[in-house]
Structures are given as structure tokens and as C-alpha cells.
Amino acid sequence: MKPVFEKFKTGLYKTRITLFCKLKDVISRGKKFNQEFIENIEEILIESDIGIETTMYLMDELKEQYRKNKNFDTSTVLGIIKKKLKEIMMECNTPEISERKQEKPYVILVVGVNGTGKTTTIGKLAYKYKKEGKSVLLSAADTFRAAAVEQLDIWRKRAGADIVKTKYGADPASVAYDSLQAAISRNIDVLIIDTAGRLHTKVNLMEELKKIKRILKKIKPSAPDETLLVLDAVTGQNSLTQAKEFNDAIGIDGIVLTKLDGTAKGGIIVPILKELKIPVKYVGMGEKVTDLALFDSETFINALICD
Amino acid sequence: MFDELTKKLEYTFQKLKGHGKINEKNISEALREVRRTLLEADVNYKVAKDFIEAVKNKSLGKEVLRSITPAQQVIKIFNEELVDLLGGTVSRLKDSSVPPTKIMVAGLQGSGKTTFCAKLSLFLSKKGKKSLLASSDIYRPAAKNQLEVLGNSINTFVYPYDKEGAVEIAVGAVEEAKNRGYDVVILDTAGRLHINSEMMDEVVEIKNAINPNEILFVADGMTGQDAVNSAKAFLERLDFTGIVLTKLDGDAKGGAALSIRAVTGRPIKFISIGEKVDAIDIFHPDRMASRILGMGDIITLVEKAEEAVDREKALKLEKKLRKEEFTLEDFYDQLQQIKRMGPIENLIEMIPGVRGLKFKDIRENGDELKKTEAIINSMTPEERRKPKIINGSRRLRIARGSGTSVQDVNRLLKQFSQMQKMIKGLSRFGFGKVFKQFGF
């Protein structure tokens, strides 16, 4: 899939307007690097959800440059912030996760807390793989939430994929097991497993995920070939904890950042990248099957700081 | 809930308490820490700034500096400001003079609207109010099914419809509630982005069509800085009457609560603290503030106990205790009642002074309860009534049956016999006093 730059830009369009005006506005108004200027920049950074630590890191860098340079020009602030953000993000630039030459099916496990958009993301992923000419099977392993299976089934139809489902209350691990076996016997290319939303603090539910992973490995040692964590761009600093906890529990290969079509900036992925080095793979920007794009850090930074 | 925030604030105030004399410098220092904590908890930049400013100005007042316990004074001011920021007093749902009371629920995608609707319905039914549920979410796949399944699980009627527009559904549901004599109609709406003008127009149309008594804005308790943007936009278009915060059972620091309340001026009416349909609480600003400040929330705990304890059983138990007939069966009953109050970790959080307990310890306590339960479950009724007959081979059988070890069984039996001894002792001293103390 080619990065959908245009789509990504429009997705972040609203973000761009607000940030664009704010950051540039502050810089053009504030010719002096004084307390007021510092506070204004700080406020804009904090409001992008990049977190206080990253904000302080960027502010320290600015102050350092100011100390070093007697003729410090505030118009360079934008460039400095951009450069630093780039450094952080490039450290783990998204590798094109290759669907390596391996035994079929390519198993994708999708996890996350409640309401981040897992099922919607799966619908979009299924569509993407179908478009690439692959056969796709969905596994409805969210047997907990009311109507989760029906929701996935509707997405399946939109994407033109197949589905394995059972009754509510069934053991999700057994659903995952059955669907992997089905995928193998039907010679399916890609198997995507939906799981129930769970707060990372619920120990039992995190154990359940580990069990799903263990059981998949019994059939296919490399499975899940990709574990995706779905994060909601609207969520604040808690996303970092979510990423940590899910990563500790089952290991995360990539992040899907959803709901970027709103005004939330999703800046929290900066500290996530910095601390955990987990790449962001996709961004979600709407409710249509096509509203999914490959993540591109350059575009993201530009949108974040409105260059 | 608000756990991290609380921990950090406690630490900051502990430091402040260490200072005998308080001056502008150490107050500023402490407040800088507080500010950082608030920002880390996703409190909006401006809201945090204003809040700190207010606390600082009041703290630097002469009474505080002259006071014998200035740190306590600062904490008091902090508490008052916090209660104030959280809304001051409890805000209850408005009733319509002519039934049904119409409650409309709106918010962003994935904030937890549908689950909240079911919780609210169950909450109202416990108060003796019959409610009808309806979903005007004609967009999200299976949204209606979700509400139907939830409605069935709590025996609430869900308004059926076939492919109508969202406004027609809303009007139809209100009509239905009127005809069937329901007290309340709860209308779920589709999740929408505040910048999607078409969808915002739709929700305003729904509002104008049914003229709700309450419009509740549901917000995810984990929301970041964007909380103020969406809340403001919804307020502008919909002029909602109250706020609901969801997903507060995780480790979210919950700063969005402060921000949304501060920028909209609307009261937080409910908080949602779990996935089960009964995981809903009325929002108490004072209790939440004392929780944030680490003073615990004993009132909620007592209320939960009252809800869970069966009065008749309590009386029976008292009689049994008097006659020294307390058996393992009664003990098991007690365990069940504790369990009904909710997850043990949630309960412990409310007890003042136990914040220092690590999550792991609490969980282990919870596991211990489960073990005890399993052991008692694996006993025969006779064994439960007369634990003395449990010999070696019975112990082995019970251990195997409950997936525990003989040592575990021994420990439980020992604890139980100690308990019986204690009860004997108590009955000699006269029960009345003891039981009154425990509120039986």
C-alpha cells in the first residue's frame, strides 16, 4: 500500500489549522524570547498531547539555543522543534512490515482498550488486503461486548472477507484457535483476529490475551505474525501506559492511531516512540473502509507543528 | 481511578508538611510540582494554570502564613478549590413534571455512550423508575443490536425500529414511552466528531424534536488535551446539561474531568467505573476531591456495603452468633456479600490510608478470597456445618477438589476455628455493643 499522503493531510487538516495559526502566530507576535513567549510555546506543545516530559525536553533545547546564541531569532523556533521531533521519530521510522515469505496465513492480532476503534480498523485492514488480491478471514474473538460479532460481520461484508464466529461468552482463545485452523484448511492469505476491548489494568483480561497468543503458537509457531495495538488519538497521556502494558504482556509490533480526523493531535505517539520504540504503522481517519493510511512520520510532524 | 494523580499530590504535600514555616518560595515550589502533576494527568494547560493561581493567591493570605499548621491550611485550600472546580455539590437528574423524563445521551465515538445508557437504565430501575431505551444510531454497524442485548440483560424494553431516520426514531421512542407509561426514556445517539457539521446538525435536530429534560455529554475519562475542544463544541451546539465520565476504572489520571467541567461549567453527574452494567456512580465532587487528596472515600464504601448486605441475613447471622452457631456456610455467605460490593481493589481504594498498598498486594488478597471460596465450595454441606469432622483424607479430597493444597485447607480451618473462639469471647461480653458498632 502506498502511503496516502493526500488523505493523511486532509485527515490532519483541522489539526493543521489550529496548530498552524497558534504556533506561527505566537512566533510572529513574539519577537523576544521572554517568559511570555516561552509559556505560549509550552502551552501549544502541551495541548498537542506530546506530554510534559517531551515538552520540557523541547523547551530545554530552545533555551539552550537561546543561551548559546546572542542574536537568537524566534523565527527559528519552529525549525528547532521540528528537527528535534524528527530525531525522536526517525529513531524508529516505520519499517514496511513485509509479509515475509512464510507459511500462510499471515496472522494479525488486534488489541486495545475499549472504544479505540479495533473493529473498525479491522474492517479497513480487511479491505486493504482484499484490494491487494489476498484472501482474508476475520476471527470474531470479541465474545464479550454486546453485538461485537454483528459489528465485525457487517464490516466483513463491506470488505468482502470471510468470518469465523461463535456464541457470546465463548472462550476467545478457542475462537482464535478455530479460526486459525479454518484459515489453514481454506488456504487463506491473511487472518485478522478481533479481540474484546480491555483496560490494561485488568489482570485477568491481559492473561486472556496471553492465552490467545499461546494457543495460536501451538498451531503456527510464528503466529501472531503481527500484533497491532489500536490507540485512540483522543486519549491523552494514558496511551503511553497502555502501550507499555500491552507491550509487556504480549509484545506489540505496531500501533494503529485512530480518530485522527478530529481535532485531537495524537502527539502522545511521540513519547511512545521515544520510550518504547514501537513503530506506528497505520492511521485511521474516518468511518469508511478506505479511511486507513500508512503512517508517515514526516507528514505527521509537519502536520503537528504546521510547517 | 485518579490513582497516580493522588499519589503524586500526596508526595508533594508530604514535602510541604515537612516545612515548619511556609513562605512564598516553598509554596510556589510545591505548586509547581502540583502543576506538573495536573498536566501529566491531562488537565488542560489553562485550567491547570488558573487553578494553581487561585490556590497560590489564597495560600499566600495572611491567615495561612500565621497559622500554626500552614501546610494543613494549604491542603485545605487546595481541597476547597478542587471541590469547587469539580462542581461543588452533587448534581442530580432533572425530572419532567409530565412523564416521561427525556434523557438524551451524546458524545464522540467510543466514549461509552451505549454502555452508559444501559447502566443508567438499571440505576433508575433500582430507584423504582421504569425506563425505555432507544438508539438513534443508524450509522454504526450493530449499534442497535448492542443496545438490544444490553437491554435484555437488564430486562429493559428497547424501542424497536426499522430503518427510520434518527429524528423519527427519537420522536417515536418518546411517543412509545408516553403511551406505555414509562417514567423515563433514555435516547442513545450515534457517536460523532464535533467538527462534523452534518452530524452535529443531526443531533441538534433530534434535540429540537424531542426537547429533552437532560442532555448528557459522555466523555472518556482518558481523554487528553482535546477534551476541551470537543466539550466546548458540543456545548455550543447542544447546550448539554450534564457530563458523564467513563472508563475511570483503569489507571487513567482523569484530568479530563477537571478540564471539561471547568470549560463548560456543566456539572459532572455520573461516573462509570467498569464494564458490568451496575458499574455506575453518582458523581460527588467532595468525595472525588478527598480521593484525589488521598483522604479516601469512606462514604461511598459504606453505601456500597448497605447495597450489598442483605438485612434479613444480617439479622439471622446475629442470632447465630449469639447462639455460637457460626458455621463455614455463614462464613461463605459473608464472602459472597463482600464480593457483591464489587472488585476488591476498587473497595480498598476507598479506604483512607491504604493508598500506599501496591496493586499487587490487593490482587493477592483478592486471590486469597477466591481460594477460600473454592475450598468451602469443595466441602460437603455436613463438613461446612461441622468442620470438626474434616479429617486427613477429607482434607486431601477438599484440596484436590478446589485446586489448592492441604496446607491451604489447614490454614482456612485454623482461621475459622480462631474466628469461632473470638465469637465465643464476644458473646460473653455481650453482643449488643459490638454489633451496634458495626452498624448491624
Side-chain angles (χ1 to χ4, degrees), chain A residues 14-160:
Chain A
K14 308 286 186 318
T15 309
R16 286 167 61 84
I17 297 174
T18 44
L19 260 183
F20 181 85
C21 301
K22 275 192 176 170
L23 203 53
K24 283 228 164 136
D25 192 37
V26 163
I27 290 167
S28 67
R29 269 190 295 118
K31 296 289 176 221
K32 274 194 191 129
F33 195 77
N34 53 20
Q35 190 56 33
E36 190 195 341
F37 183 81
I38 289 173
E39 263 186 39
N40 284 335
I41 298 283
E42 201 180 270
E43 177 178 352
I44 293 166
L45 292 175
I46 289 281
E47 282 181 351
S48 73
D49 280 326
I50 60 170
I52 190 147
E53 217 159 285
T54 313
T55 301
M56 289 309 162
Y57 170 77
L58 294 172
M59 294 314 291
D60 286 347
E61 188 61 32
L62 288 180
K63 286 175 195 163
E64 178 73 22
Q65 299 272 351
Y66 174 71
R67 251 196 306 279
K68 276 195 212 153
N69 187 353
K70 276 272 173 285
N71 306 314
F72 185 80
D73 183 355
T74 54
S75 65
T76 59
V77 164
L78 201 68
I80 296 169
I81 292 175
K82 188 174 166 183
K83 187 170 153 262
K84 281 285 142 192
L85 282 176
K86 229 183 216 167
E87 272 173 28
I88 296 170
M89 309 221 12
M90 291 306 164
E91 269 177 51
C92 65
N93 211 354
T94 322
E96 179 63 37
I97 299 180
S98 56
E99 277 93 71
R100 287 146 265 164
K101 286 249 181 298
Q102 59 183 326
E103 270 176 67
K104 287 202 284 190
Y106 186 70
V107 182
I108 303 173
L109 181 66
V110 181
V111 300
V113 306
N114 318 61
T116 53
K118 283 177 296 301
T119 310
T120 306
T121 299
I122 289 171
K124 295 173 183 174
L125 275 175
Y127 179 79
K128 166 191 124 78
Y129 282 112
K130 284 298 282 187
K131 271 240 136 165
E132 291 169 10
K134 298 195 168 101
S135 55
V136 179
L137 181 68
L138 302 185
S139 171
D142 179 356
T143 56
F144 178 78
R145 204 201 66 192
V149 177
E150 285 82 350
Q151 190 188 348
L152 188 69
D153 202 38
I154 292 170
W155 277 107
R156 167 194 76 85
K157 283 177 195 147
R158 288 181 186 169

Side-chain angles (χ1 to χ4, degrees), chain A residues 39 42-43 46 49 52 114 144 146-147 150-151 199-200 202-203 234 236-238 241 259 261 263 287, chain B residues 35 40 42 45-46 49 109-110 141-142 145-146 193-195 222 224-226 247 249-251 275 363:
Chain A
E39 263 186 39
E42 201 180 270
E43 177 178 352
I46 289 281
D49 280 326
I52 190 147
N114 318 61
F144 178 78
E150 285 82 350
Q151 190 188 348
L199 287 175
H200 48 287
K202 310 273 161 162
V203 182
V234 180
Q237 303 305 303
N238 195 250
T241 326
K259 306 189 198 173
D261 46 336
T263 49
E287 287 169 332
Chain B
R35 174 177 167 271
E40 271 171 9
D42 293 318
Y45 189 88
K46 279 199 199 76
K49 196 175 161 187
Q109 289 97 336
N145 293 22
Q146 189 188 353
L193 276 174
H194 50 288
I195 51 167
M222 300 185 285
Q225 295 283 333
D226 195 49
K247 303 183 208 172
D249 47 331
D251 55 0
E275 288 195 73
R363 212 159 54 232

Side-chain angles (χ1 to χ4, degrees), chain B residues 15-189:
Chain B
K15 274 207 299 199
L16 198 56
K17 276 183 192 165
H19 295 287
K21 277 261 184 242
I22 290 216
N23 53 35
E24 182 164 0
K25 199 178 154 231
N26 51 35
I27 284 187
S28 295
E29 230 168 76
L31 286 178
R32 206 169 23 246
E33 275 302 305
V34 173
R35 174 177 167 271
R36 194 188 160 100
T37 310
L38 292 174
L39 290 177
E40 271 171 9
D42 293 318
V43 175
N44 174 265
Y45 189 88
K46 279 199 199 76
V47 174
K49 196 175 161 187
D50 292 347
F51 178 71
I52 294 296
E53 216 40 50
V55 175
K56 191 173 172 183
N57 287 338
K58 289 198 179 163
S59 302
L60 292 175
K62 278 180 187 145
E63 299 100 87
V64 174
L65 295 178
R66 273 198 214 134
S67 144
I68 308 164
T69 53
Q72 296 290 350
Q73 292 291 319
V74 175
I75 293 168
K76 193 171 155 248
I77 291 168
F78 190 88
N79 184 37
E80 283 166 3
E81 287 295 314
L82 201 55
V83 172
D84 204 42
L85 189 63
L86 288 166
T89 52
V90 172
S91 171
R92 301 198 186 271
L93 286 176
K94 276 183 280 242
D95 275 329
S96 167
S97 49
V98 191
T101 299
K102 293 161 281 183
I103 302 174
M104 180 175 163
V105 176
L108 299 174
Q109 289 97 336
S111 51
K113 288 175 297 301
T114 308
T115 310
F116 168 72
C117 285
K119 286 179 179 177
L120 181 62
S121 173
L122 184 65
F123 174 85
L124 291 171
S125 79
K126 280 186 187 165
K127 309 251 174 235
K129 283 188 184 152
K130 230 172 94 187
S131 57
L132 177 144
L133 283 169
S135 167
S136 71
D137 183 354
I138 52 176
Y139 309 98
R140 200 184 76 159
K144 192 189 121 205
N145 293 22
Q146 189 188 353
L147 194 65
E148 268 168 8
V149 174
L150 285 168
N152 282 338
S153 74
I154 54 170
N155 293 318
T156 298
F157 179 65
V158 178
Y159 177 66
Y161 65 89
D162 281 307
K163 296 242 159 50
E164 295 170 77
V167 178
E168 285 77 38
I169 294 167
V171 173
V174 173
E175 209 48 47
E176 182 94 3
K178 218 179 268 173
N179 293 339
R180 288 175 163 233
Y182 279 92
D183 303 308
V184 184
V185 51
I186 302 171
L187 181 71
D188 189 15
T189 62

